[in-house]
Amino acid sequence: RGITHLPMTPEQFRLDFPEFADDTKYTDASVEFWLTVSESLVNPCRWGVLTDQGIELCTAHHLVLAARDEATAAIGGTPGQVTGPQSSKAVDKVSASYDTGAATIDDAGMWNLTTYGVRYLTLARLMGAGGMQL
């Protein structure tokens, strides 16, 4: 039995993720591009009723990465450079550090670069896992 899935629209994505409402920063073309990519990564037969959430989390992840690259390019930097989660920062005499291990997933690679990616991968790893007992 197949599951019918209607394509996600930029409008619906923005309703569900209002933090991407700025259609100048996150153009419809960019949102549509990443929605299309994400739809190919989320199998409705495995994700079931969470299909749209998987597509939206994957799209949000890629939009954040694209926005970072765009911001880097806008100041003359090289977009696409790989950096990991920031673990500490110092300004003058004030410093702060974070336990990045508490918010990342082992062997998650680029999915650890945004909170959307971490949430997407957490759900993706559960899809098709079968029943569990505690």
Side-chain angles (χ1 to χ4, degrees):
R1 179 180 119 203
I3 294 177
T4 303
H5 172 70
L6 298 175
M8 175 67 57
T9 64
E11 296 78 21
Q12 184 60 52
F13 172 77
R14 292 180 203 284
L15 283 173
D16 295 339
F17 287 77
E19 60 269 40
F20 295 96
D22 182 347
D23 60 7
T24 301
K25 184 173 183 177
Y26 307 103
T27 65
D28 281 349
S30 182
V31 173
E32 186 67 47
F33 175 82
W34 289 113
L35 283 170
T36 300
V37 169
S38 299
E39 285 177 4
S40 71
L41 299 174
V42 177
N43 182 341
C45 292
R46 288 195 175 269
W47 284 73
V49 298
L50 295 178
T51 297
D52 287 347
Q53 287 78 9
I55 291 168
E56 289 175 322
L57 286 168
C58 186
T59 297
H61 170 74
H62 287 291
L63 286 170
V64 168
L65 295 180
R68 285 181 192 170
D69 288 343
E70 189 174 322
T72 299
I75 59 170
T78 304
Q81 290 185 332
V82 177
T83 60
Q86 186 173 1
S87 63
S88 65
K89 183 175 183 174
V91 177
D92 199 17
K93 294 180 182 181
V94 179
S95 66
S97 62
Y98 305 93
D99 178 7
T100 57
T104 58
I105 301 171
D106 289 341
D107 301 321
M110 68 104 174
W111 297 110
N112 279 326
L113 298 178
T114 72
T115 58
Y116 301 106
V118 170
R119 294 187 320 203
Y120 167 78
L121 189 59
T122 298
L123 289 174
R125 288 183 171 180
L126 292 173
M127 296 304 126
M132 294 185 202
Q133 286 186 319
L134 299 175

